[in-house]
Amino acid sequence: MSIGNSSEDDRPSIGRAIQQARIDAGLTVDEVSTTTRVRVPIVQGIEQDDFSRCGGDVYARGHIRTLARAVGLDPGPLIARFDGDRGGRPEPTPAAPLFEAERIRPERGRPNWTAAMVAAIVAVVAFVGFTLFSGGGKGNAVAEGDNTAAPVQPSKSQHAGKPGKASKPTTVPGPAPSESAVAGVPKDRVTVKITAKDGQSWISAKDSNGRLLEDGLLKKGESKTFTDKKRIDLVVGNAGAVQLFVNGKEVEKVGDKGAVERLSYSAGPQAG
């Protein structure tokens, strides 16, 4: 037996690697299924290295990539190993090649009638526009030999305001201001800001109507802010790694590292 292959043989399988990363992140199969929209039986099958439920190698690669990202793994090596176990990924079929390009290329030596027609239409439109524009001032033209210019009639827009004063310009509203610090939110709402301070964390957030606001992995250094008039419900994986502010006040301890915490906060002041 070759000693050089011993390190590869000792590596965990694709399914085992995904399962171990999920457990390390403090996530259940149901939570991963909700986050990735991959059905529970498929998640369970992949963790057992059974890809028969995926519907083919193309779908299997997609599921492996999705699950790996959800539990914090780099999907590249897992996809490469999946392809290697199946004799390598098949070469992609080249797209409709030069035949299509040659078919639509105009023949040399013949005039390009399409371009000529477009140029003619543009010229006609430009001529008509110029004629109409020039004809608009015909009534104010000065008679030949007359040195006195005809008075220019003010437009209707000039009579809109008061005499001697310019009409007040219309004010266009600017973009709505962005959300400022959490501490500045109204007291009749609940605002929650969560930051993955000491490591990544899987989070799920819902408003008081049960509408899903966020469901996915929060990488280290990333933050999310949620607000509602009544209540915000949170599920936080790896709770000891996050920093949480509720209505501007920091929650002293969300939970332990690796633990999954289910939290709910209502509008009004919150204890730290």
Side-chain angles (χ1 to χ4, degrees), residues 1-255:
M1 186 176 83
S2 173
I3 298 177
N5 294 330
S6 60
S7 60
E8 295 185 2
D9 294 337
D10 291 340
R11 292 181 305 173
S13 65
I14 297 172
R16 180 59 183 165
I18 293 175
Q19 182 186 51
Q20 188 59 52
R22 173 180 61 78
I23 294 173
D24 292 343
L27 303 175
T28 67
V29 171
D30 288 338
E31 289 170 339
V32 171
S33 175
T34 301
T35 303
T36 61
R37 301 182 185 274
V38 178
R39 293 187 293 112
V40 169
I42 296 179
V43 177
Q44 293 173 334
I46 290 176
E47 288 191 354
Q48 299 300 320
D49 294 303
D50 178 9
F51 304 99
S52 60
R53 293 178 177 266
C54 296
D57 289 354
V58 174
Y59 294 104
R61 291 187 191 94
H63 291 327
I64 292 171
R65 184 177 291 105
T66 300
L67 295 179
R69 288 172 177 168
V71 298
L73 290 179
D74 179 7
L78 298 180
I79 299 295
R81 187 169 183 183
F82 178 84
D83 292 336
D85 291 344
R86 283 153 181 77
R89 190 169 187 174
E91 291 294 330
T93 304
L98 304 173
F99 173 77
E100 291 294 333
E102 291 292 336
R103 185 167 60 86
I104 62 176
R105 183 181 301 165
E107 296 183 12
R108 295 181 180 178
R110 293 187 180 182
N112 191 336
W113 294 110
T114 302
M117 289 177 64
V118 171
I121 293 172
V122 171
V124 171
V125 171
F127 176 78
V128 172
F130 176 79
T131 302
L132 293 176
F133 179 80
S134 300
K138 189 173 182 180
N140 294 328
V142 181
E144 186 176 357
D146 189 350
N147 293 328
T148 305
V152 178
Q153 297 296 327
S155 63
K156 292 182 179 180
S157 61
Q158 291 176 316
H159 293 287
K162 294 181 179 180
K165 293 184 179 181
S167 58
K168 187 176 182 181
T170 304
T171 302
V172 180
S178 60
E179 289 187 7
S180 57
V182 177
V185 298
K187 294 182 179 180
D188 59 347
R189 300 180 67 89
V190 56
T191 299
V192 176
K193 179 180 179 181
I194 184 169
T195 303
K197 183 179 180 181
D198 298 324
Q200 64 184 10
S201 172
W202 176 87
I203 64 169
S204 174
K206 294 182 179 180
D207 62 14
S208 57
N209 294 321
R211 183 170 63 93
L212 190 63
L213 304 175
E214 180 71 23
D215 196 355
L217 192 66
L218 193 65
K219 295 182 179 180
K220 184 176 180 179
E222 291 183 342
S223 297
K224 293 287 183 180
T225 301
F226 312 104
T227 182
D228 189 70
K229 292 182 178 180
K230 295 181 180 180
R231 190 179 73 253
I232 294 292
D233 296 322
L234 289 176
V235 180
V236 183
N238 194 17
V242 304
Q243 183 181 36
L244 188 64
F245 285 87
V246 180
N247 290 352
K249 295 183 178 181
E250 183 176 2
V251 177
E252 292 183 359
K253 183 176 182 181
V254 181

